[in-house]
Amino acid sequence: MFTKRIACIGAGYVGGPTMAMIAMKCPQYKVIVADLNKARIDAWQTDSLPIYEPGLLDVVQAARGRNLFFTTDIAGAIREAEIIFVSVNTPTKTFGEGAGRAADLQYWEKVAREILRESTSPKIVIEKSTLPVKTAQTMETILNAKGDGVHFEVISNPEFLAEGTAVKDLLEPDRVLIGSRETPEGLKARQEIVDIYANWVPAERIVTSNVWSAELSKLVANAFLAQRISSINSISALCEKTEANVREVAHAVGMDSRVGSRFLNASVGFGGSCFKKDILNLVYICESYGLHEVARYWESVITMNEYQEQRFVRAMIRAMFNTIVDKRIALFGFSFKADTSDTRESPAIFVARKLMEERARVVITDPKAIENARHDLEGAPVEYAEDPYQAARGAHAVAIMTEWEEYRTLDWGKIYGSMEKPAFLFDGRNILDHKGLYELGFNVYPLGSPAYRHF
Ligand code: NAD
Ligand code: UGA
């Protein structure tokens, strides 16, 4: 009764939400999401989903058991489907050639080999994971290695969703990108994937290209976004020296329609599982083609991000009279951005570690990410508190690490009253009313504008 059978290998931050959206929007298709992580698959079958993403549970509930299924039977999912999305992780390589920069494609290649082993009928294999440009060529080589006449077409359909807004991004994407070979078989497969998205995405937002452009566009999109943050963060350092205010500068610059206003919020640094790894990968690819100047250019985006994280901690120590030994410091937020429990590459990890190196007593509060924080800082002498008021009690300083909306509306007078004096507030996200907090008694250190100090 289903008109298409779609499988997705990898039930993570991308595989789960994207397939749930396809299943909700296309009841005529059967969608099977497979992963070797049983705990994750089990969680997708409950109402405590394995990832926190606003609105996602409603999407999953609309389709689960109807045409959306979660399983650890990867071989079965491959056999049943004619269209297979592969959405496994592609982290930075930690060993051997290209360690610390190149993408580790071992998970991807394992899946390709499993698809080859299990397939007895033609399949369209879709690169949903972010991959180095030219990976499709390797995939085609592996998939066509058996030479038994089963045809595989490799399509690149990178995902642009951001965590915390995944449901909205999937419902109303700026664009969906589908790249294929420009052969008759390639164009036919491309059309099949276009048809899936056309169920809810307007035609003008479905962009097609050759397969290499699609692969490369994903890396470049992340590099451009991260570059904007590094650009404004570099200016935040200059603002602090010159009494300019980075929020005012970003506003004035962003109003130029050629620049645009988004992704110009200065911060303690960008985090997340992808920006750093994708830029490192871009750098590695440029190096491997001998494009050293291009590689250095993009590498500087990461250098600036690391500088911003270090600068933030140094400023904290300097402000607190050059020693934080035994001082209780409360980190408000641990996820890499608001509205997610994900802490991968969160600047808060770096900040927490550095503060502990200086022998501060670190306490962490976060509405969704405490479990992941415990994992990231396993073994470290950190206190965790669900309640931000509890975290701040007796603290010398509060540092805002994540722009959770609820931090804007806390009773900051009550927090000030419960802290050691002088009380410090470091706003790593520039989300609070700095002057108002100063008037309550805090010594306030925003990013990219002068501090408000009582001494
Ligand atoms: P993730 O780690 O959350 O999920 C990957 C899943 O793949 C895991 O559950 C893992 O168990 C599974 N897996 C690994 N090897 C497998 C195998 N051989 N068989 C079956 N399952 C296997 O990763 P993610 O954040 O969903 O990212 C996946 C890809 O999408 C990456 O390439 C990433 O760069 C890209 N991406 C991520 C985001 C994001 O917001 N997280 C956005 C766009 C693109
Ligand atoms: C990012 C991209 O926005 C997505 O398009 C892409 O699909 C995804 O990476 C990916 O490939 O994984 P994500 O990392 O989920 O999405 O979140 P972003 O909203 O991009 O934020 C990344 C980091 O930059 C966060 O730490 C955020 O706080 C920080 N940021 C963002 C700033 O510091 N300033 C800003 O103005 C915007």
Side-chain angles (χ1 to χ4, degrees), residues 35 70 85 93 97 102 131 140 176 183 197 204 224 231 265 281 287 323 327 348 355 388:
D35 200 297
F70 295 93
F85 286 84
K93 234 181 137 189
E97 187 68 24
L131 294 162
E140 286 167 355
V176 168
T183 57
Y197 288 100
E204 66 277 11
F224 271 53
S231 296
N265 291 323
N281 189 212
E287 289 283 12
T323 176
K327 290 181 180 167
L355 296 176

Side-chain angles (χ1 to χ4, degrees), residues 47-58:
D47 287 348
S48 300
L49 301 182
I51 60 175
Y52 172 70
E53 194 61 64
L56 181 60
L57 185 58
D58 292 340

Side-chain angles (χ1 to χ4, degrees), residues 13 52-55 161-169 336-342:
Y13 285 87
Y52 172 70
E53 194 61 64
L161 69 79
E163 289 176 29
T165 53
V167 171
K168 184 180 164 294
D169 295 342
F336 78 97
K337 63 185 282 195
D339 292 327
T340 177
S341 55
D342 195 351

Side-chain angles (χ1 to χ4, degrees), residues 231-240 246 266 308 311 447-449:
S231 296
I232 200 68
N233 281 346
S234 74
I235 299 305
S236 73
L238 183 57
C239 286
E240 287 166 27
V246 77
Q308 188 75 349
R311 209 170 73 76
L447 262 174
S449 57

